[in-house]
Amino acid sequence: MPEATETPTPMVKAERVRKHFGRVEVLKGVDLEVMPRTVMCVVGPSGSGKSTFLRCINHLEQISGGRLWVDGELVGYRQRGGKLYELKEKEVAQHRRDIGMVFQRFNLFPHMTALGNVVEAPVQVRGANRADARRRGLELLERVGLGERCDMYPSQLSGGQQQRVAIARALAMDPKLMLFDEPTSALDPELVGEVLDVMRGLAEAGMTMIVVTHEMGFAREVGDQLVFMDDGVVVEAGNPRDVINSPQHERTQAFLSKVL
Amino acid sequence: MSATSTDDEAAAEIRAVPVRHPGRWVASALVVLLSAMFVHMLVTNEAFQWGFIRDNAFSAPVLSGAKNTLILTVLAMVIGVALGIVLAVMRLSPNPVLSGGAWIYVWFFRAVPRVVLLILFGNLGVLYAQYDLGVPFDRQIADLFGLSLDGRFLSVDANTILTAFVAALLGLALSEAAYMAEIVRAGISSIDEGQTEAAQALGMSRGRLMRRIVLPQAMRVIVPPTGNETIAMVKDTALVAFVPYYELFFQLQAIGSRTFQLFPMLVAACLWYLAITSVLMVGQHFLERRFSRGTRRSTDRGNRRALLANRTKAPENGSEDA
């Protein structure tokens, strides 16, 4: 239960979060906390549940046990009189508006231009004025270095450019939290840097971010917190430098020796 | 002889003797010959009665029949596509009642031949002589409680509402919807789940993401078979003669049997259907182009212009777009 204390409300708080698909347990009790204006990087071997956990935060996956709060509000449920009620689709959608998500495979809308992608949700979901949304969309595309390419379709952009448009698309909703699901894993090595630069800029501007990644350099430089997950649990968490330089847990050591 | 060439040779454009295709020439000659024979037959064979065709293929009843053919095609397709989209979305719904209902609809209307359906609809007047709108089961409820109660507020004679036109249109549209439902379902299923997730993550509702994200992309898969369906529909309107309702073919055939010149009128029918179908194919071409936006590197002129503009603006990145 979240207690009213002197410390500010964590942006994300997970308590013994469990998730199973049929008989397969993917998350076996995840506890963690992300404070506002901080960056948490999540690393771990594939199949460790880190992407699933990320998808639970905006209810793309429904958790099977435990509790998960975003900005003090339960994700996917409402608690009344000691009972949990599932939220309606509309209410879930309302919560998602404030959480930006960037996917490994970009998932840009291929039938819309870069600017169309960015403008879509503010106009359709927030009911923003189209002209205002376009102006703001152009600003965001400038910010990720793609102002010149606003009229191009995703298929005409490189992977790195597509991912930067995807970041701008998420930012257009003015999220209070950004989730990144292995944002550079599908990119050619020489395009990784441009995406990480944009993310670094966001972190510096004070965005609360959770980044599932394999980029240890990014985690060390930008992350305020590093979480190592394996087999559905948080094995080790702490200051990125400490975790990377002197991992306490055997599994963390084994993983880091492979990726560093 | 050496395996290397001089620099000049290597730098110059290659000028090689192209491969010859004697088979193509033989085949072309054969095709030209057969075409010439066919055209010769068309022109010289008296049975075609070209003058008779010219005089009758555009007579008033034929034109009104053609009008009916077109009206039926357009309306049946519009209703069929709209209902098909609804059925497809129902079919993919997590609600078992909706998806089961859609399944049963498709099952029934695909199983019954269109001719049978049209004759059936033509005879629907048999069921009731009068159609009422009101509270369902009002008389049964009244009987049950021993009341005298009438919950009907609108009554129409069967012959007024179920005209031959309505019967023909319903028969065609309802059966078309079953086929369109499957086409639309295939189109929706072809869209990557990442698209839905991205839209959901932005806070879009299910209906909106269907309308704005999934269906526009699914259209690329949906349009070509829908073109097929439309062309098939033009031809299937000939079946409404069984309702009975008159359209293009019915009128041409009527002239043919009245004047004992059936064959020329059949030829006229072929030409009419060819003409209508050709016009529809042009429309399909433009629709396909409209919905393939963004799928190819440069799909239309607007795109290409943007591409060129960007190349000149950012030459250092130009190679990425090639």
Side-chain angles (χ1 to χ4, degrees), chain A residues 54-260:
Chain A
L54 202 68
R55 294 160 56 82
C56 286
I57 296 174
N58 65 356
H59 209 54
L60 282 181
E61 304 288 355
Q62 191 166 26
I63 61 175
S64 338
R67 295 283 188 277
L68 188 55
W69 294 268
V70 170
D71 205 12
E73 288 192 70
L74 268 183
V75 174
Y77 301 94
R78 183 187 301 109
Q79 195 156 20
R80 218 186 309 131
K83 256 187 177 172
L84 281 185
Y85 296 86
E86 265 185 40
L87 289 187
K88 286 188 197 126
E89 197 194 301
K90 219 176 184 177
E91 298 166 309
V92 172
Q94 204 136 27
H95 280 179
R96 284 185 182 136
R97 291 176 188 184
D98 300 327
I99 307 173
M101 187 161 194
V102 175
F103 299 85
Q104 183 177 357
R105 287 173 53 233
F106 328 137
N107 295 348
L108 287 182
F109 306 132
H111 58 303
M112 299 176 184
T113 61
L115 186 58
N117 267 275
V118 177
V119 168
E120 179 67 12
V123 172
Q124 293 293 325
V125 179
R126 288 224 195 272
N129 171 300
R130 188 162 276 279
D132 292 343
R134 280 180 67 90
R135 209 173 310 120
R136 170 116 169 84
L138 273 172
E139 268 171 37
L140 286 166
L141 284 174
E142 295 286 355
R143 186 166 159 194
V144 299
L146 290 170
E148 304 248 292
R149 298 184 173 241
C150 60
D151 287 330
M152 299 184 96
Y153 285 93
S155 62
Q156 298 166 324
L157 298 171
S158 73
Q161 293 169 339
Q162 288 189 53
Q163 194 61 298
R164 286 188 278 152
V165 173
I167 294 174
R169 176 176 70 176
L171 289 176
M173 291 294 280
D174 292 316
K176 52 189 179 193
L177 168 68
M178 285 282 284
L179 309 173
F180 293 84
D181 188 6
E182 303 200 25
T184 56
S185 299
L187 295 177
D188 291 338
E190 79 270 21
L191 303 177
V192 169
E194 61 189 60
V195 173
L196 291 182
D197 284 344
V198 170
M199 290 167 62
R200 187 173 290 124
L202 268 182
E204 279 161 11
M207 176 63 75
T208 314
M209 295 161 58
I210 303 181
V211 185
V212 171
T213 186
H214 294 294
E215 297 292 329
M216 300 310 288
F218 178 84
R220 180 164 35 203
E221 288 160 36
V222 182
D224 298 296
Q225 206 186 157
L226 181 69
V227 169
F228 172 70
M229 277 182 76
D230 192 12
D231 201 23
V233 291
V234 173
V235 175
E236 196 165 342
N239 182 297
R241 254 165 274 250
D242 299 344
V243 175
I244 292 172
N245 294 337
S246 51
Q248 301 300 307
H249 203 283
E250 192 183 319
R251 279 194 278 176
T252 321
Q253 288 163 7
F255 175 76
L256 288 174
S257 70
K258 277 181 224 151
V259 298
L260 284 178

Side-chain angles (χ1 to χ4, degrees), chain A residues 55 108 120 148 156, chain B residues 195 197 208 212 297 310:
Chain A
R55 294 160 56 82
L108 287 182
E120 179 67 12
E148 304 248 292
Q156 298 166 324
Chain B
Q195 292 292 309
E197 285 185 354
R208 199 179 294 271
R212 296 285 309 172
R297 296 253 149 163
N310 263 292

Side-chain angles (χ1 to χ4, degrees), chain B residues 99-122:
Chain B
S99 73
W103 186 89
I104 288 173
Y105 182 98
V106 172
W107 169 71
F108 178 81
F109 280 97
R110 276 204 313 190
V112 181
R114 262 182 201 172
V115 187
V116 178
L117 212 56
L118 286 167
I119 300 174
L120 191 77
F121 275 82

Side-chain angles (χ1 to χ4, degrees), chain B residues 61-216:
Chain B
V62 174
L63 287 180
S64 95
K67 194 185 80 190
N68 283 343
T69 288
L70 289 175
I71 291 174
L72 276 176
T73 304
V74 170
L75 287 183
M77 283 312 291
V78 167
I79 297 173
V81 169
L83 192 54
I85 291 175
V86 172
L87 284 166
V89 172
M90 279 169 69
R91 186 74 201 280
L92 294 167
S93 147
N95 181 338
V97 178
L98 288 183
S99 73
W103 186 89
I104 288 173
Y105 182 98
V106 172
W107 169 71
F108 178 81
F109 280 97
R110 276 204 313 190
V112 181
R114 262 182 201 172
V115 187
V116 178
L117 212 56
L118 286 167
I119 300 174
L120 191 77
F121 275 82
N123 290 288
L124 267 193
V126 169
L127 289 181
Y128 299 101
Q130 180 181 305
Y131 286 89
D132 300 332
L133 200 64
V135 182
F137 295 113
D138 57 340
R139 296 216 175 124
Q140 284 81 348
I141 295 169
D143 286 349
L144 202 65
F145 295 102
L147 305 166
S148 77
L149 173 111
D150 193 7
R152 295 163 195 227
F153 40 82
L154 189 70
S155 296
V156 200
D157 192 50
N159 290 327
T160 0
I161 191 166
L162 211 71
T163 59
F165 172 76
V166 171
L169 180 62
L170 275 182
L172 292 174
L174 294 186
S175 114
E176 185 56 38
Y179 291 95
M180 282 311 302
E182 289 297 281
I183 291 171
V184 173
R185 185 167 70 95
I188 291 176
S189 309
S190 75
I191 303 306
D192 183 54
E193 215 171 322
Q195 292 292 309
T196 316
E197 285 185 354
Q200 280 179 330
L202 288 167
M204 281 198 199
S205 62
R206 197 149 267 287
R208 199 179 294 271
L209 80 86
M210 216 19 118
R211 254 192 343 271
R212 296 285 309 172
I213 308 299
V214 176
L215 280 176

